[in-house]
Amino acid sequence: MPTDGPVGIHDLTFRTAGLVLPHTELARHTGACVTKYHQGIGQQAMSIPATDEDIVTMAAEAAAALMERHGADRLRTLLFATETGIDQSKAAGVYVHQLLGLGPHMRVVELKQACYGATAALQLATALVRRDPGQHVLVLASDVARYDLDSPGEATQGAAAAAMLIAADPALVTIHPTSGLYTHDVMDFWRPNYRATALVDGKKSLAAYLQALRGAWRDYRHRGGLDVAQLHTVCYHQPFTRMAHKAHAQLLQEAEVPATAAEIARALAPTTSYNELVGNSYTASLYLALAALLDSDQQLDGRSVGFFSYGSGSVAEFFSGTVRTGYRHLLRTEEHLEAVQRRYPIDYDTYRRLHRMHRLPRQELPVNGAQHDLPHGVSGRYRLAGFHEHQRIYECVSPPPLFPQP
Ligand code: CAA
């Protein structure tokens, strides 16, 4: 029977890549003042994938943590949101499905609209659960943000995967049915199929983000959404964490609520602690902001939170949710800190070498389908082992698959 009861995020976690380039190291070589990075854009470091990591390995690591806690018996759907697609046809989620050893009676599909894709997945998932409240939906958001070397966007790169389990009577956050939408065709940021790095008009993208925020917020309010005063705080998509400050200033101005820069910084600080260390993770960024908020030492039981999701191009959504009483019992703060702290620091030359390997066509990879093994780069559970006959070969390093198939 369909339900009118609460539906939302039952569990949430994230994982990031195994390497890290601190902005102090970047600044030493680009000649930029490090305060431009630390204060101007609000970033401390960026996660860099090793050669055998990608959106699938990061997402599988995050998803495995959820499956270990909840099992997979109620799982019927896996939605994978990304703008770092690895195949023009096959959904990246099918690889995750295989790596985790999930059963065959599932639908798995990939969604794309720049950084907005995961929010579309979340909303579709809540609708599926409303129709069948016995069902769980696994939403994965995984991206590697890559800009050209020596470009203005370079300092905002990053990588991460968020995994969410959507369920009825959720333990973490109920998603409210009201949301505000805004779509506008704008070329602020995009990546043609023949490019490994995004093209971006930086200043235009900032303006497009803020225009979309205004549009989505007005639609949200028009449809009966909460007033700013009813929201404890707002989690924003954070291409760099200072963008959230610009966005919140804009929102408060729209709502005619006066606030100083210091007040805005205080309100958003609990939402930015992971993204400033990880960098832009596109689809996952908003949900790393939520993870940071939940993991902060604030008392959030029963509080309402706003969410702003922006995907260049552009599609945006403003929605809200209520943090469930008792949410603290299910937090994964230790795991999240471990994911960030275990990254191996690399120097500038190593970073540039890894970056060049992703130029298209990838020079070091055979395009004739020949076997190509990738070196072991990180100590995660899953890795991209190589390529064979034009296929990506993933492997589970240890322990073995969660749900081995007979
Ligand atoms: N100390 C402190 N602050 C400093 C400083 C210093 N020494 N030097 C500069 N700053 C400040 C500047 O004043 C500026 O702050 P304000 O914006 O508040 O004025 C900030 O640091 C950045 O400086 P610049 O504007 O000079 O930086 P830039 O032009 O080199 O690059 C950028 C900034 C355009 C955002 C660039 O990083 C970029 O292109 N990023 C990628 C695009 C992006 O992230 N767009 C966001 C919206 S689109 C989106 O959200 C989708 C997505 O995920 C991509």
Side-chain angles (χ1 to χ4, degrees):
M1 285 289 287
T3 179
D4 286 334
V7 171
I9 303 170
H10 190 50
D11 201 351
L12 162 69
T13 194
F14 77 89
R15 295 294 183 269
T16 184
L19 307 177
V20 60
L21 182 76
H23 279 82
T24 44
E25 173 72 1
L26 185 66
R28 245 196 301 281
H29 293 84
T30 59
C33 180
V34 76
T35 55
K36 172 176 175 178
Y37 297 149
H38 288 174
Q39 290 166 24
I41 59 171
Q43 292 304 122
Q44 299 285 333
M46 49 205 208
S47 288
I48 308 286
T51 42
D52 59 350
E53 287 183 304
D54 68 4
I55 55 165
V56 168
T57 62
M58 291 190 297
E61 299 266 354
L66 299 192
M67 295 299 102
E68 271 163 357
R69 184 183 277 177
H70 304 279
D73 293 352
R74 298 169 74 177
L75 207 58
R76 295 273 294 159
T77 303
L78 188 167
L79 303 176
F80 195 113
T82 187
E83 59 178 293
T84 322
I86 52 169
D87 193 286
Q88 296 282 16
S89 171
K90 180 166 175 158
V94 177
Y95 292 106
V96 175
H97 175 275
Q98 184 270 333
L99 282 170
L100 266 51
L102 299 174
H105 302 295
M106 285 184 62
R107 62 169 76 82
V108 179
V109 71
E110 188 168 307
L111 293 96
K112 177 178 68 188
Q113 175 29 56
C115 309
Y116 170 72
T119 300
L122 169 64
Q123 296 291 8
L124 292 174
T126 58
L128 284 171
V129 172
R130 264 186 208 296
R131 193 177 70 176
D132 174 10
Q135 196 183 121
H136 285 172
V137 178
L138 179 59
V139 170
L140 302 178
S142 186
D143 271 303
V144 178
R146 270 192 202 100
Y147 294 93
D148 282 345
L149 293 171
D150 308 314
S151 70
E154 182 180 23
T156 67
Q157 295 173 118
M164 293 183 273
L165 202 62
I166 310 306
D169 196 18
L172 295 183
V173 180
T174 301
I175 299 298
H176 302 161
T178 306
S179 74
L181 302 171
Y182 189 79
T183 289
H184 172 55
D185 183 4
V186 56
M187 295 307 281
D188 60 332
F189 167 107
W190 69 107
R191 183 167 70 84
N193 286 344
Y194 49 84
R195 285 184 61 96
T197 50
L199 292 164
V200 62
D201 181 334
K203 302 295 178 202
K204 190 174 181 178
S205 73
L206 265 61
Y209 179 119
L210 295 176
Q211 179 182 340
L213 171 61
R214 268 193 308 275
W217 170 251
R218 286 176 189 173
D219 189 43
Y220 171 78
R221 290 288 291 143
H222 178 69
R223 286 165 190 279
L226 300 177
D227 188 5
V228 162
Q230 295 170 287
L231 298 174
H232 174 72
T233 190
V234 180
C235 293
Y236 290 93
H237 166 55
Q238 295 169 8
F240 51 94
T241 64
R242 280 281 175 248
M243 188 70 224
H245 294 216
K246 292 178 193 293
H248 204 50
Q250 160 98 63
L251 186 76
L252 295 179
Q253 195 183 357
E254 274 287 305
E256 297 179 1
V257 176
T260 64
E263 285 165 343
I264 290 173
R266 258 198 308 281
L268 297 189
T271 72
T272 58
S273 58
Y274 293 138
N275 282 323
E276 65 192 21
L277 297 172
V278 163
N280 196 354
S281 56
Y282 293 160
T283 51
S285 159
L286 172 61
Y287 301 97
L288 265 67
L290 173 59
L293 176 67
L294 296 174
D295 287 348
S296 71
D297 55 10
Q298 302 206 328
Q299 295 296 330
L300 298 167
D301 301 72
R303 304 260 194 176
S304 292
V305 174
F307 299 92
F308 177 63
S309 181
Y310 176 72
S312 288
S314 68
V315 177
E317 181 160 350
F318 195 100
F319 61 106
S320 51
T322 301
V323 180
R324 300 303 299 266
T325 301
Y327 74 100
R328 284 177 167 276
H329 299 299
L330 278 183
L331 294 184
R332 297 172 176 272
T333 316
E334 300 279 302
E335 282 173 44
H336 295 158
L337 293 175
E338 210 251 321
V340 171
Q341 286 162 1
R342 82 175 176 95
R343 294 173 301 169
Y344 185 81
I346 52 173
D347 61 21
Y348 185 69
D349 290 342
T350 308
Y351 150 69
R352 286 183 75 98
R353 186 174 52 75
L354 284 167
H355 193 288
R356 283 198 201 94
M357 286 176 64
H358 287 278
R359 280 188 190 151
L360 291 180
R362 286 179 66 171
Q363 301 296 336
E364 84 285 10
L365 299 180
V367 290
N368 60 359
Q371 170 97 20
H372 181 84
D373 297 328
L374 289 168
H376 281 255
V378 288
S379 54
R381 178 188 281 187
Y382 304 105
R383 64 183 295 271
L384 175 61
F387 300 83
H388 181 57
E389 294 180 350
H390 301 287
Q391 297 169 32
R392 297 171 88 85
I393 311 297
Y394 290 96
E395 66 183 17
C396 180
V397 180
S398 85
L402 288 175
F403 312 107
Q405 299 300 299

